[in-house]
Amino acid sequence: MKKIAVLTSGGDAPGMNACIRAVVRAGIFNGFEVYGVKRGYNGLITDDMERLEMRSVSSIIQRGGTMLYSARCLEFKTPEGQAVAIENMKRRGIDGLIVIGGDGSFRGACAITNQCGIPTVGIPGTIDNDLAYTDFTLGFDTAANTVVSLINNIRDTMTSHSRMSVIEVMGRNCGDLALYSGIAGGAEVIIVPEVPVTAEEVISRIEASRSKGKVSCIIVIAEGVKDFESKLEVIRERLHADMRVSVLGHIQRGGSPTMRDRLLASQFGTRAVELLMENKGSRAVGIRNDQIIDMDIIEAVEMPRKFNKELYEMAKILAM
Ligand code: ADP
Ligand code: F6P
């Protein structure tokens, strides 16, 4: 194997740049030519890729986003799009591909290996932390820290005015970003898609905290929680709350990656290159119990998610 390529796909995540840097430097160190593919799978279809050298990835470890750009490429989901992408890879003599992205991006990587045998390795890069096989995905720590910092700001002003704040955070269908940042931000109530709650439950929890002297209240709610608006209205009315809603949006997806994400990115990128050196394809890299692991990419994608109910229950106690 001589030439390998790397791409970033799906929603971007802080730490993707640090991971590209690791792939390029570990790759060149181990004798590969490394190519950076632009805009996810689009770049494979349009043959938009460039050779990356050690200095091409200078000064990106601290930057959010991805220097290779990212995209959701619908054409790549079609057999025709995949055929063009594979043709381009073969013509260029690409012997291995590293894909940094979420579960959809991993499925794309599998499609390549299944159809032409070119080994692919998936690196989990998403702020959603929604891949069950790995304890953490790249970008989750940074996004959670950003959310915590925003909760801090909102709490200052909510406390001054004795208000109630509802803060909606991203995460797609996964409640991890809400749960972890809610705990670290001291939220009074955390609402996630994995655990349905009634308006009555929320009201009684807030009443209990008020009876213990709390004057402001922060509810962190994951975007994946559906149809909660009417319940919020009931909560607001019954508690006579002066309620404000903040939807954090993409502010939580950018920004300089934390030390933890930079380290994880470096370890993931290096392991992915090692797997290609061993000619191992269809693998997904992750972290479990502080150990970098790899496993079959399809098994990784299909592993059912387990929500951390212990953390959720702990949050309820500590919020009092
Ligand atoms: P993520 O990787 O963050 O889960 P998406 O689900 O949007 O994000 O997937 C990113 C891209 O991966 C898609 O736009 C498409 O190009 C590719 N992809 C997703 N699912 C598949 C699939 N089943 N087969 C082939 N490619 C896929
Ligand atoms: O998957 C990352 C993510 O930021 C999700 O948390 C969110 O639901 C989605 O992407 C937003 O997508 P877009 O950037 O296309 O609006």
Side-chain angles (χ1 to χ4, degrees):
M1 190 179 291
K2 286 202 173 68
K3 293 183 186 177
I4 62 171
V6 56
L7 61 81
T8 47
S9 166
D12 69 345
M16 280 184 164
N17 273 327
C19 196
I20 295 165
R21 171 182 178 270
V23 167
V24 170
R25 295 209 172 150
I28 294 172
F29 176 81
N30 286 294
F32 292 127
E33 282 177 26
V34 185
Y35 290 80
V37 181
K38 304 282 176 62
R39 294 184 175 78
Y41 290 107
N42 278 311
L44 288 183
I45 293 175
T46 58
D47 195 34
D48 188 6
M49 62 178 87
E50 65 177 310
R51 187 160 170 192
L52 299 173
E53 304 292 351
M54 292 282 190
R55 294 282 73 74
S56 314
V57 290
S58 295
S59 209
I60 62 164
I61 195 169
Q62 75 277 20
R63 285 204 233 130
T66 156
M67 66 170 273
L68 293 176
Y69 309 107
S70 192
R72 298 196 169 96
C73 171
L74 294 183
E75 198 184 343
F76 187 73
K77 287 190 173 182
T78 66
E80 297 77 23
Q82 289 169 15
V84 175
I86 289 168
E87 191 49 43
N88 283 332
M89 287 175 77
K90 282 187 177 162
R91 196 172 31 76
R92 281 187 177 262
I94 301 293
D95 308 299
L97 175 71
I98 294 173
V99 171
I100 310 171
D103 61 331
S105 305
F106 281 18
R107 287 182 199 279
C110 287
I112 291 177
T113 307
N114 289 343
Q115 285 179 49
C116 67
I118 293 177
T120 50
V121 179
I123 295 180
T126 164
I127 64 166
D128 299 337
N129 209 40
D130 58 352
L131 288 159
Y133 79 94
T134 179
D135 291 344
F136 294 105
T137 57
L138 215 51
F140 174 70
D141 185 64
T142 306
N145 276 291
T146 302
V147 173
V148 169
S149 159
L150 295 168
I151 293 175
N152 292 343
N153 289 8
I154 291 173
R155 185 178 295 282
D156 287 345
T157 170
M158 289 300 128
T159 308
S160 305
H161 292 270
S162 303
R163 278 174 171 161
M164 177 181 293
S165 186
V166 178
I167 304 176
E168 184 191 293
V169 307
M170 281 187 168
R172 213 176 277 261
N173 299 315
C174 177
D176 279 17
L177 195 52
L179 178 65
Y180 283 68
S181 58
I183 291 172
E188 278 68 32
V189 179
I190 300 169
I191 305 176
V192 292
E194 292 86 348
V195 189
V197 281
T198 62
E200 290 306 319
E201 283 173 66
V202 176
I203 290 167
S204 67
R205 272 159 55 191
I206 296 172
E207 278 175 338
S209 76
R210 278 184 177 179
S211 72
K212 294 184 179 68
K214 282 208 178 185
V215 292
S216 68
C217 168
I218 287 188
I219 299 176
V220 170
I221 183 164
E223 67 172 351
V225 177
K226 299 296 171 220
D227 305 323
F228 211 78
E229 291 78 11
S230 57
K231 291 182 189 161
L232 280 182
E233 192 47 31
V234 173
I235 295 165
R236 190 188 67 74
E237 271 182 21
R238 287 268 303 283
L239 293 171
H240 306 290
D242 187 7
M243 184 187 274
R244 296 290 187 276
V245 177
S246 305
V247 179
L248 300 187
H250 289 83
I251 206 164
Q252 65 208 293
R253 215 164 80 187
S256 183
T258 56
M259 177 280 290
R260 203 175 152 66
D261 272 333
R262 295 182 200 195
L263 186 65
L264 207 55
S266 305
Q267 292 174 294
F268 282 171
T270 303
R271 172 63 73 90
V273 168
E274 285 166 3
L275 288 167
L276 290 183
M277 279 169 61
E278 294 160 20
N279 221 14
K280 287 191 181 148
S282 287
R283 304 296 289 174
V285 172
I287 183 164
R288 253 187 247 152
N289 302 323
D290 276 336
Q291 298 294 315
I292 302 298
I293 55 113
D294 62 87
M295 65 180 291
D296 179 79
I297 196 166
I298 279 295
E299 279 175 31
V301 164
E302 283 175 0
M303 197 178 275
R305 277 201 63 244
K306 259 207 306 200
F307 181 68
N308 195 332
K309 198 78 198 301
E310 277 167 39
L311 271 188
Y312 180 82
E313 293 302 329
M314 181 198 78
K316 284 206 256 179
I317 295 168
L318 300 186
M320 297 305 286

